[in-house]
Amino acid sequence: MQKPDSLIFDMDGTLWDAVDSYVWIWNEGFRQLNLSKRFTREEMITYMGKQPDELITECVKNEPGEVDIQKVYQAVFGLQQHTMPLLGGKLYAGVREGLEALSKKYKLFVLSNCESYGVRQFLEYTKLTHLITDTITFGETRLPKAFNMQLLKTRHQLENPVYVGDTDSDRLQTEMAGLPFIYVNYGFGTASRSAIEFSDFEALTSHFLSL
C-alpha cells in the first residue's frame, strides 16, 4: 500500500455507535404505520451499512398484505431527520482526539450509505465539522460507495486515498473503487481481508501519524 494522502471514513460502526437511536426511530416509524415488525439492537446491527431503499424492502417483506414502500420510507426517515439531532450516538474511544491529530496531516472525509442529511447531523452532533474536508452520502447521489469514493477522489484530486470501514460490504465497495481497505474490527461487521486491520481508533491514529 502506498503512503496515503487522505483518509475516507465510514460513519456507523467506524466513527460512532448510534444503533440504539436507530432502533427507537424504526420501531416508532413502524408503530405509526401499524406495521407489526419491531427491531432489536442485535438485529439493527445486521442492517448497518445497507442502502436505505434496500433496507426498507427487506424489513417489510414479512408484513401481511401489500405495504407502500414509499410511505414507510417517508415515515422512518422523516422521523430520523428530525430526531437524530436530539438522540445522536456515541463516538468510539479515541475518535475525537484521533481525527483532530490526523486532520493536521491528511485530508479527512466521511462517506456513508445514509440519507443526505445523515453525515451532516453526525458532524454537528459531535462537533467535528471543522476537521472534515468533505462528505458524501448515498442520499445525495443514489450511488453505491464505490462510485462515491471515486467522486471524492476526482472532486479533490486525491492521489492515494484509503477507505476505513467495519464490514465486508465496505471491503467489497472499496476494492471495486480500486482503493486500499482499512478494517476496524470493533464495529458492526467482519471483513474477509484488508490492507490493514485495527482493533481501536487509537491504534489507527498512531499508525497513520507514523507514516
Side-chain angles (χ1 to χ4, degrees):
M1 186 180 78
Q2 292 180 294
K3 182 179 178 180
D5 63 344
S6 50
L7 308 178
I8 307 173
F9 292 95
D10 173 47
M11 182 176 70
D12 292 305
T14 299
L15 298 177
W16 78 344
D17 179 346
V19 173
D20 292 341
S21 298
Y22 296 142
V23 168
W24 185 90
I25 289 165
W26 281 74
N27 280 335
E28 178 63 15
F30 272 53
R31 185 193 66 77
Q32 291 178 6
L33 295 175
N34 296 313
L35 297 173
S36 61
K37 183 171 180 57
R38 294 297 180 267
F39 300 85
T40 64
R41 175 180 171 85
E42 292 70 28
E43 182 183 20
M44 186 61 68
I45 285 175
T46 68
Y47 296 145
M48 290 293 99
K50 293 192 175 184
Q51 295 174 184
D53 49 353
E54 295 176 348
L55 178 50
I56 286 188
T57 300
E58 181 173 341
C59 290
V60 302
K61 64 184 179 183
N62 294 322
E63 292 290 334
E66 189 172 340
V67 177
D68 187 333
I69 299 294
Q70 188 59 32
K71 187 173 289 188
V72 178
Y73 189 97
Q74 292 171 348
V76 170
F77 289 102
L79 193 61
Q80 182 167 310
Q81 184 173 8
H82 291 100
T83 57
M84 276 304 289
L86 301 174
L87 298 175
K90 293 182 179 180
L91 287 174
Y92 289 110
V95 168
R96 184 178 303 281
E97 300 83 358
L99 292 180
E100 184 80 48
L102 290 167
S103 69
K104 294 177 171 59
K105 185 170 184 176
Y106 299 96
K107 290 182 177 180
L108 307 183
F109 303 87
V110 181
L111 184 161
S112 173
N113 269 341
C114 64
E115 280 301 317
S116 58
Y117 51 81
V119 173
R120 174 179 53 79
Q121 289 183 338
F122 158 74
L123 292 174
E124 290 175 354
Y125 185 87
T126 58
K127 296 180 172 57
L128 295 173
T129 306
H130 64 292
L131 303 178
I132 305 301
T133 299
D134 197 4
T135 68
I136 193 166
T137 66
F138 172 80
E140 296 170 76
T141 66
R142 314 312 289 185
L143 294 171
K145 283 186 173 182
F147 290 92
N148 288 334
M149 289 177 204
Q150 287 297 325
L151 285 174
L152 278 182
K153 186 176 180 180
T154 300
R155 184 187 299 172
H156 294 278
Q157 300 180 317
L158 306 178
E159 295 292 333
N160 298 306
V162 300
Y163 188 73
V164 183
D166 68 310
T167 66
D168 207 51
S169 61
D170 286 337
R171 187 271 308 168
L172 178 60
Q173 290 292 314
T174 306
E175 290 180 354
M176 289 174 61
L179 275 59
F181 175 61
I182 310 303
Y183 172 50
V184 291
N185 61 24
Y186 55 77
F188 301 138
T190 59
S192 58
R193 58 181 177 269
S194 62
I196 316 175
E197 178 177 337
F198 295 103
S199 297
D200 54 65
F201 206 87
E202 291 95 334
L204 180 149
T205 301
S206 296
H207 173 81
F208 285 105
L209 288 180
S210 69
L211 297 180

